Amino acid sequence: MRFWLRRTVFYLFTAWAAITINFLLPRMMKGDPVSAYIAKNQGKISPEAADALRTLFGLDENTTIWQQYIDYWKLLLSGDLGRSFSHGLSPVTDVIASALPWTIGLVGLATIISFVLGTAVGAWIGWRRGRATDGIIPVATFFSTVPYFWMGLIAIAVFSSTLKWFPASHAYGKGTHPGFTPEFIGEVVYYGALPAITIVIASLGGWILGMRNMMITVLDEDYVTVAQAKGLSNRTVVTTYAARNAMLPQLSSFALALGFIVGGTLVMELVFSYPGIGKLLLDATNAKDYPLMQGVFLVITLAVLVANIIADIAYIILDPRARQMEA
């Protein structure tokens, strides 16, 4: 109970600090979103309309910063993240909601695949250390050190331009009407296959190397030696004793990776012209769309916090020693 109480207080404080910083950052920047919007639409916005926009966005000069902060929390708790200037004053929640599924579906699936595959391969290589399987390590590490944009461009040149196996860009074909149909889903999978494979290849080396090193460390522990002395099968020793403990440090990295899924892979989305959160954030930054930037930052921050909470729960479940220490 003490453990969960401390973690709850910690995450509540972290969420409050992140939201407060998210509130202050746009107000610390030079200018404001309304001024940027007026400059973009010079001659089309009357002074009265500008004042109304500042009131709408909580930037009224006649209102104290404390009152703006209170109003910001009221809007936030009601699910209102403001209006996006670069999307025709559409609600920020609608703009983010339209881009979020693309990023989660592509980057999320690729991250999970690379973690599961990398952890399994790393555990296998660690168990068979000193054999020919160690040759996988330098190959996987090489691909993880290649700049992602370069790997993406090579993948497009080889598999799209030369072999014609996959499309080079976008999430679905031009002229296709989105809908929850087998044809549209198949097209989305087809268009997302090449960027997903590129993400998996680029991130696989880190998971393999981390798991392999932890396996080598864990295999020297006494409980593994005792398990082997009992005559347990190699499969039981690897899965129940060695790999279960070796993967614990991987969980923290995986939690952060899951949290940053929401942020998307900006370079990937630019190279493949994919309509995800990363590209949305870049477009908002270029357009000085502060409400949209603020909303994206908030969603990313909360996603990282939720992912860390899930990692804490998984760590406690997988490692009984953590429960004893916290008790």
Side-chain angles (χ1 to χ4, degrees), residues 108-188:
L109 183 60
T111 301
I112 294 173
I113 291 175
S114 62
F115 170 75
V116 173
L117 185 59
T119 301
V121 173
W124 178 61
I125 294 175
W127 176 255
R128 297 170 55 86
R129 63 191 185 280
R131 302 183 186 181
T133 50
D134 284 343
I136 299 176
I137 297 295
V139 176
T141 304
F142 168 76
F143 281 109
S144 65
T145 57
V146 176
Y148 183 82
F149 73 91
W150 185 247
M151 186 181 297
L153 292 175
I154 292 175
I156 291 174
V158 175
F159 297 104
S160 296
S161 301
T162 303
L163 299 177
K164 308 293 184 181
W165 288 357
F166 299 102
S169 60
H170 302 298
Y172 51 88
K174 294 181 180 179
T176 301
H177 297 286
F180 197 70
T181 61
E183 293 78 12
F184 179 73
I185 294 174
E187 189 169 333
V188 168

Side-chain angles (χ1 to χ4, degrees), residues 7 65 115 156 197 200 216 222 230 249:
R7 301 308 289 177
I65 189 69
F115 170 75
I156 291 174
I197 292 172
V200 171
I216 292 176
D222 293 338
K230 289 180 179 180

Side-chain angles (χ1 to χ4, degrees), residues 122-316:
W124 178 61
I125 294 175
W127 176 255
R128 297 170 55 86
R129 63 191 185 280
R131 302 183 186 181
T133 50
D134 284 343
I136 299 176
I137 297 295
V139 176
T141 304
F142 168 76
F143 281 109
S144 65
T145 57
V146 176
Y148 183 82
F149 73 91
W150 185 247
M151 186 181 297
L153 292 175
I154 292 175
I156 291 174
V158 175
F159 297 104
S160 296
S161 301
T162 303
L163 299 177
K164 308 293 184 181
W165 288 357
F166 299 102
S169 60
H170 302 298
Y172 51 88
K174 294 181 180 179
T176 301
H177 297 286
F180 197 70
T181 61
E183 293 78 12
F184 179 73
I185 294 174
E187 189 169 333
V188 168
V189 172
Y190 176 56
Y191 272 74
L194 189 59
I197 292 172
T198 310
I199 295 174
V200 171
I201 293 175
S203 58
L204 195 60
W207 298 118
I208 293 176
L209 185 61
M211 188 62 181
R212 183 255 186 189
N213 292 340
M214 286 305 304
M215 278 291 291
I216 292 176
T217 301
V218 168
L219 289 174
D220 292 331
E221 296 290 340
D222 293 338
Y223 56 83
V224 176
T225 304
V226 171
Q228 291 174 320
K230 289 180 179 180
L232 298 177
S233 65
N234 289 337
R235 181 178 180 180
T236 302
V237 174
V238 171
T239 57
T240 306
Y241 292 87
R244 179 176 178 176
N245 289 278
M247 72 178 296
L248 292 176
Q250 296 269 93
L251 286 176
S252 299
S253 300
F254 182 56
L256 290 176
L258 284 179
F260 284 109
I261 283 174
V262 176
T265 303
L266 176 59
V267 178
M268 180 276 296
E269 293 177 359
L270 291 178
V271 170
F272 291 95
S273 298
Y274 204 80
I277 288 291
K279 190 173 183 300
L280 180 67
L281 179 58
L282 179 64
D283 293 341
T285 304
N286 292 333
K288 296 183 179 180
D289 190 344
Y290 297 143
L292 183 55
M293 292 167 55
Q294 197 174 21
V296 173
F297 285 140
L298 180 62
V299 170
I300 294 174
T301 301
L302 295 181
V304 174
L305 286 177
V306 171
N308 277 274
I309 293 173
I310 295 174
D312 279 341
I313 296 173
Y315 202 98
I316 292 296

Side-chain angles (χ1 to χ4, degrees), residues 46-105:
S46 65
E48 294 77 11
D51 292 338
L53 284 174
R54 287 192 171 89
T55 302
L56 174 65
F57 286 95
L59 298 172
D60 189 357
E61 297 177 353
N62 297 323
T63 305
T64 63
I65 189 69
W66 174 250
Q67 185 59 47
Q68 292 180 22
Y69 183 64
I70 298 298
D71 294 339
Y72 174 74
W73 269 101
K74 290 179 180 178
L75 292 174
L76 189 63
L77 293 175
S78 65
D80 187 355
L81 298 180
R83 301 274 175 170
S84 171
F85 287 118
S86 60
H87 290 77
L89 295 181
S90 298
V92 170
T93 51
D94 294 345
V95 177
I96 294 177
S98 65
L100 197 57
W102 297 106
T103 295
I104 293 178

